[in-house]
Amino acid sequence: MKHISIVTPCYNEQGNVTVLYQQVKAEFDKLQDRYTYEHIFIDNVSKDNTRNELQEIAAKDKRVKLIFNAFNAGHIRSPFYGLQQAKGDAVMLMVADLQDPPQLIPQFLEQWEQGHKVVVGIKNKSKENPLMYAIRTSFYKLIKAISETEQIENFTGFGLYDQSFIELLRQIKDPYPYLRGIVAEYGGNIGKVFFTQPKRLYGKTSNNFYTLYDIAMLGFVNHSKVPLRMASMLGFICSAISLLAALVYLVYKLCYWDSFQVGMAPLVIGLFLFASVQLFFLGIVGEYVGSILTQVRRRPLVVEEKRINFDT
């Protein structure tokens, strides 16, 4: 009997956590002759009724284990920390909003049994907003194109990880880890399960422009030096263009001294162009410096308020 851990990070997922628990339980009831399981929920200080729902579930089912964070550790650190706490032979990361379908659990286990240490879920279709899906897909393609390591398109973290890979995650002392990139870089012979992402069941997502931007920049900073090199190359190109434009203006002025007027428009346009380019790349450099600062400070991923059912 192999033991499987399901890890679910959550924040304001009232209603969803109960349905997710029931669906996961239903899948393992079908597999009870081969697997035992535990379901670990790690909560980021939810402000709705999520914690009460989870405590009611945990009181009835000791396989449900709870970690309540003392502060909101965010959508990057909390899932990574939750994975590190799982002791199963294999560990699955599954979000609370049911957009990672529990019905796929048997397919993940089948590929794991075939020898894949990592099996990732890839959403090749989605029932979410078409515009958001298009933006996300474009981001995956962009980071794959400029990354120094091969990235996995349309992979959000939903997947199954062998305990040997979880042990590797425990050795990574990154205070702000980019799980998707780590999986792509160290996953080895990765199995893939393709699925259509369903709509969120209850409530509204806590993700917004800032959190999505945070993930995107974390991916760029961790796996590519292209933005920094673009600054150098673009600076050289702009310098060459400026020099060429200056020579053209000089020759034109010498040839048509009395009739040619330079005017203010080229100066103003050029000033704003160079200022905007400088600000853009100053922001890029700031992202890299901020990442270095995060690494240097070495703050903990999560501070726990309490645990429930981990002693059973």
Side-chain angles (χ1 to χ4, degrees), residues 109-120:
L109 292 173
E110 181 181 356
Q111 293 210 32
W112 175 58
E113 295 285 10
Q114 291 173 1
H116 295 286
K117 298 297 184 182
V118 173
V119 185
V120 299

Side-chain angles (χ1 to χ4, degrees), residues 4-76:
I4 310 299
S5 298
I6 307 294
V7 175
T8 300
C10 49
Y11 175 73
N12 291 347
E13 295 292 351
Q14 134 183 343
N16 288 325
V17 290
T18 299
V19 178
L20 177 64
Y21 157 73
Q22 292 170 343
Q23 292 190 8
V24 169
K25 180 177 180 298
E27 292 303 318
F28 278 100
D29 284 345
K30 302 173 188 175
L31 303 168
Q32 60 184 333
D33 59 330
R34 300 176 59 194
Y35 303 102
T36 58
Y37 86 102
E38 63 181 4
H39 198 160
I40 302 172
F41 289 88
I42 178 166
D43 180 75
N44 261 332
V45 197
S46 292
K47 301 184 184 303
D48 58 5
N49 200 44
T50 299
R51 287 196 170 187
N52 291 332
E53 281 190 34
L54 290 174
Q55 290 183 97
E56 290 175 7
I57 296 169
K60 298 175 183 177
D61 191 343
K62 299 303 179 183
R63 294 172 298 186
V64 176
K65 302 181 178 183
L66 309 180
I67 299 174
F68 288 164
N69 296 341
F71 67 94
N72 190 336
H75 58 293
I76 299 293

Side-chain angles (χ1 to χ4, degrees), residues 251-265:
V251 171
Y252 208 87
K253 182 64 175 176
L254 291 174
C255 294
Y256 302 96
W257 187 269
D258 295 325
S259 60
F260 179 63
Q261 298 294 325
V262 176
M264 289 296 296

